[in-house]
Amino acid sequence: MNRKVVVAALVAAVVLGTGGVVVLTRVASNQANAAPLQNDPAKTAPVKKTNLADQQQMTGQLGFGAERGLSSRKGGTVTGLPNAGSVIEQGKPVFHADAKPVPLFYGSLPLYRDLESGMSNGPDVKVVEENLAALGYKDFGTPDEKFTYYTATALKKWQKANGLEQTGKLGSGDVVVQPGAIRVASLTAQLGAPAGGDLMKVTGTERAVTVELDTAKQRLAKQGEKVELSITGGKPTTGTITGITRTAGDPNQGQKAKIVLTISVDDPTAAEGLETANVTALFTVSEKQNVLAVPIGALLALNEGGYGVVTDDGRTVPVTVGIFAKGQVEVQGDGLREGMKVVTTE
């Protein structure tokens, strides 16, 4: 029988990539049954020393990153809302309640209590003082966690400039705290609705790629990792994973749990002129330098377990398998060396 036919029948499937399954039914347990068939010269390939990168390709969407909900603890009635697509920066109104602005403050900690003279020290005080200082109100000196007379004085000046009652106090709902400037993706609330509650969906203001992963692929979700990006209508560039969020899904609606990655675009000019676009994201899971590698088709499953390769002189060499990448597999085995020829189906 022609060797090509035999090999095609014996190699059931090879699925590339880390986490993929290599299913081999071409079996050898000794030198005799591993030897090439004589009626058709076997294909061979050299063992190479090379660099391998285990990579996975996913599709994503160019935009401004994953949306997140923004809610308010302000009392009263919503009397003003921004337009979808608006960008709101530090000190500017996020919305209006009872015809008064509710400005944006920057920080990682939301206000969890009302602030006023005589209160205990806390990190929320520092958040307020840092924002007041950034907006030009510095009566208190260096921002710290103490709410003093000078903090109240700075607050009064800021309140006057914003058309607010000059109380020197700040309620937990009087400002909206976010990590930085926000872009309004969509509105949830309507004019006339209670001011306390969900208001809108927001994103960051920098161009970003959003990629949804099944939970089985969570190995790709590594904060700070680099990703190669190919933007349709744009230029190839790289990105950095800056956000990882998880959605629970809804089995009743047939919705699976997802991991949503936000990937910043390292070179903004790569997406210049594009509001949205499809993106191919290439994740590098692992890399190996200067390893011995053979074509995946050179692997065969051994009766005694594990894998091996067959040299061009008919010897079976048991091997330890490493990463798979672009049709190659990392191998280690006694006597295996660069340049040695091994039998392969490819």
Side-chain angles (χ1 to χ4, degrees):
M1 182 182 294
N2 185 290
R3 181 177 178 81
K4 292 182 180 177
V5 177
V6 173
V7 171
L10 291 175
V11 180
V14 178
V15 181
L16 304 184
T18 294
V21 179
V22 178
V23 182
L24 295 164
T25 56
R26 181 162 63 96
V27 178
S29 60
N30 55 48
Q31 184 170 324
N33 64 16
L37 299 181
Q38 299 302 312
N39 62 340
D40 191 13
K43 288 184 179 180
T44 61
V47 177
K48 296 180 179 179
K49 181 168 286 189
T50 186
N51 301 330
L52 292 181
D54 171 21
Q55 296 179 311
Q56 176 118 18
Q57 183 173 294
M58 302 293 296
T59 57
Q61 193 70 26
L62 176 69
F64 291 89
E67 296 180 3
R68 60 184 185 272
L70 186 149
S71 59
S72 165
R73 298 178 61 186
K74 183 71 173 175
T77 302
V78 174
T79 55
L81 289 166
N83 295 321
S86 299
V87 172
I88 304 171
E89 298 179 334
Q90 188 177 35
K92 301 300 182 182
V94 176
F95 71 104
H96 286 73
D98 295 345
K100 298 293 184 182
V102 180
L104 176 66
F105 274 12
Y106 292 172
S108 58
L109 180 73
L111 302 189
Y112 52 88
R113 57 180 177 167
D114 295 342
L115 281 68
E116 59 184 322
S117 295
M119 68 183 298
S120 59
N121 297 346
D124 50 346
V125 178
K126 188 174 183 180
V127 168
V128 171
E129 288 193 345
E130 286 174 339
N131 278 272
L132 290 174
L135 295 169
Y137 305 94
K138 305 179 181 180
D139 301 66
F140 43 77
T142 302
D144 57 23
E145 298 188 355
K146 300 176 182 179
F147 195 108
T148 66
Y149 164 83
Y150 298 103
T151 307
T153 300
L155 261 176
K156 288 178 181 179
K157 292 179 179 179
W158 172 79
Q159 288 168 333
K160 181 179 180 180
N162 283 272
L164 301 169
E165 186 179 356
Q166 299 166 49
T167 62
K169 303 176 183 179
L170 191 69
S172 60
D174 288 345
V175 296
V176 172
V177 180
Q178 290 285 296
I182 57 175
R183 178 181 179 275
V184 180
S186 62
L187 297 173
T188 306
Q190 297 180 345
L191 296 179
D198 294 336
L199 295 173
M200 60 191 75
K201 298 285 188 180
V202 301
T203 67
T205 60
E206 300 296 328
R207 305 311 301 276
V209 173
T210 303
V211 175
E212 287 191 356
L213 304 175
D214 291 334
T215 53
K217 297 184 182 295
Q218 61 182 353
R219 63 194 175 86
L220 303 179
K222 298 179 181 179
Q223 189 83 12
E225 287 291 306
K226 289 291 185 182
V227 180
E228 295 178 40
L229 302 175
S230 179
I231 303 171
T232 302
K235 298 184 296 184
T237 184
T238 57
T240 306
I241 300 176
T242 56
I244 302 173
T245 58
R246 289 171 169 80
T247 61
D250 186 349
N252 295 328
Q253 301 292 327
Q255 298 174 349
K256 296 181 179 180
K258 296 283 186 181
I259 300 172
V260 182
L261 304 184
T262 298
I263 305 171
S264 65
V265 179
D266 291 343
D267 178 9
T269 64
E272 196 168 17
L274 298 174
E275 183 68 17
T276 185
N278 293 327
V279 179
T280 299
L282 189 63
F283 296 81
T284 300
V285 181
S286 61
E287 292 183 278
K288 292 287 189 70
Q289 304 290 321
N290 295 319
V291 296
L292 294 178
V294 298
I296 291 176
L299 286 181
L300 72 160
L302 303 178
N303 272 332
E304 58 269 30
Y307 300 102
V309 295
V310 178
T311 64
D312 60 353
D313 60 3
R315 292 183 300 111
T316 300
V317 179
V319 297
T320 301
V321 175
I323 68 173
F324 294 79
K326 296 180 180 179
Q328 298 285 306
V329 57
E330 176 194 359
V331 289
Q332 297 180 48
D334 290 340
L336 210 61
R337 65 182 185 277
E338 184 180 10
M340 176 184 289
K341 295 290 184 67
V342 295
V343 178
T344 181
T345 62
E346 302 174 359

